[in-house]
Amino acid sequence: MIYADLNQFLDTGWFQEATLYYKGHTYWCEGTWDHSKEKPMHFFVYRYKSDLHVDKKGTIYTTRTLVNGDWVDYSTVLDVWGYGEEDVKELFLKAKIFDGKSFWEVEKELAWYDED
């Protein structure tokens, strides 16, 4: 991962509103819980066009690309339910959501940044 701690991301970052940047797009990852479901962990990833910026202090961040107030190239690229974090994490890491590639296939090209 670029400018990020891979182990920290794999521990908890992947499901706590993480914003990954890959080739002009943000992949916004979030996990939630619904204990009324048989598989209580819901995890989803949204993909949309974004721009990379560096402020005067050198902080790197992304912003959504908007046209007429709408997000450009917005889609849900993963929407899964699982029994828990490990179950869902495995699905995420194997999913071909990054231009047809899995997390491990693009891991060295992924950046984990804040979004403004």
Side-chain angles (χ1 to χ4, degrees), residues 17-64:
E17 298 182 10
T19 52
L20 299 174
Y21 184 81
Y22 178 71
K23 293 189 175 181
H25 287 85
T26 289
Y27 293 79
W28 191 70
C29 310
E30 184 175 358
T32 61
W33 292 89
D34 182 347
H35 294 286
S36 69
K37 305 269 188 189
E38 178 186 348
K39 293 183 176 182
M41 186 171 189
H42 183 213
F43 180 75
F44 47 92
V45 180
Y46 300 137
R47 176 186 185 265
Y48 47 87
K49 183 91 174 116
S50 58
D51 300 303
L52 203 58
H53 306 277
V54 180
D55 68 15
K56 292 178 183 177
K57 295 180 182 179
T59 303
I60 301 169
Y61 63 96
T62 63
T63 57
R64 297 175 187 113

